[in-house]
Amino acid sequence: MSFTLNVNGVAHEIDAAPDTPLLWVIRDHIQLTGTKFGCGMAQCGSCTVYLNGQPIRACVTPAVAVQGQQITTIEGLESKAALAVQKAWDALEVPQCGYCQSGQIMAAAALLEQNPSPSDDDIDLAMNGNICRCATYVRIRKAIHAAAKDLA
Ligand code: FES
Ligand code: FES
């Protein structure tokens, strides 16, 4: 079926089966490959994108269900919080293999949008659904604190 998907402010005409996950439309149809496939079961967070500004799991979201709404991927992140997060990620060299990091950055930026001064517990709670097999969690937490300080 055909439908329109709004990704990073650009409208894309998509022709895909009705049950095609948003993740595959973003990666294969629109060719934005920063959003990653990890588990495919809403368990790891590597496919995190925003739907109208809120993080969702693109692997379990049918693309057709979000037609006409605002999707943001890692390539389209441009809020002050997102830029502060990316700067802190660079400065503290957070990524190891890097595979999970798009999702981590999306989740971290969403947290700072809602809570500009998160505690360790707030960070652990907000980042709980984003798994990192390289266990970069300590650096992630430090980088979120650094980004929050930068934004203050
Ligand atoms: S790939 Fe979507 S949550 Fe793991
Ligand atoms: S940096 Fe390797 S999985 Fe997170």
Side-chain angles (χ1 to χ4, degrees):
M1 66 181 292
S2 296
F3 56 96
T4 303
L5 206 61
N6 237 306
V7 179
N8 302 333
V10 179
H12 298 267
E13 292 307 315
I14 305 296
D15 189 7
D19 59 349
T20 306
L22 176 61
L23 177 60
W24 299 125
V25 172
I26 288 170
R27 288 182 56 86
D28 295 346
H29 294 244
I30 305 178
Q31 308 283 312
L32 292 173
T33 54
T35 309
K36 304 300 185 193
F37 171 76
C39 63
M41 298 185 297
Q43 299 291 313
C44 76
S46 65
C47 66
T48 304
V49 298
Y50 297 163
L51 171 63
N52 302 324
Q54 296 301 315
I56 62 162
R57 302 297 189 236
C59 67
V60 292
T61 304
V64 71
V66 295
Q67 61 180 305
Q69 302 190 62
Q70 299 300 324
I71 308 296
T72 307
T73 70
I74 187 78
E75 291 89 348
L77 265 195
E78 54 185 20
S79 69
K80 271 176 79 175
L83 295 178
V85 165
Q86 290 177 55
K87 192 172 133 198
W89 247 242
D90 277 349
L92 293 170
E93 299 182 341
V94 171
Q96 192 161 316
C97 81
Y99 198 83
C100 72
Q101 296 292 330
S102 300
Q104 305 283 3
I105 288 170
M106 297 296 284
L111 166 63
L112 290 176
E113 292 285 355
Q114 293 186 345
N115 179 354
S117 185
S119 65
D120 283 349
D121 284 349
D122 295 334
I123 292 172
D124 291 348
L125 188 65
M127 303 300 290
N128 191 30
N130 287 75
I131 307 298
C132 176
R133 291 187 68 176
C134 302
T136 60
Y137 302 113
V138 173
R139 292 201 296 278
I140 285 172
R141 195 196 267 174
K142 273 189 192 158
I144 291 174
H145 282 304
K149 206 169 159 194
D150 197 22
L151 288 166

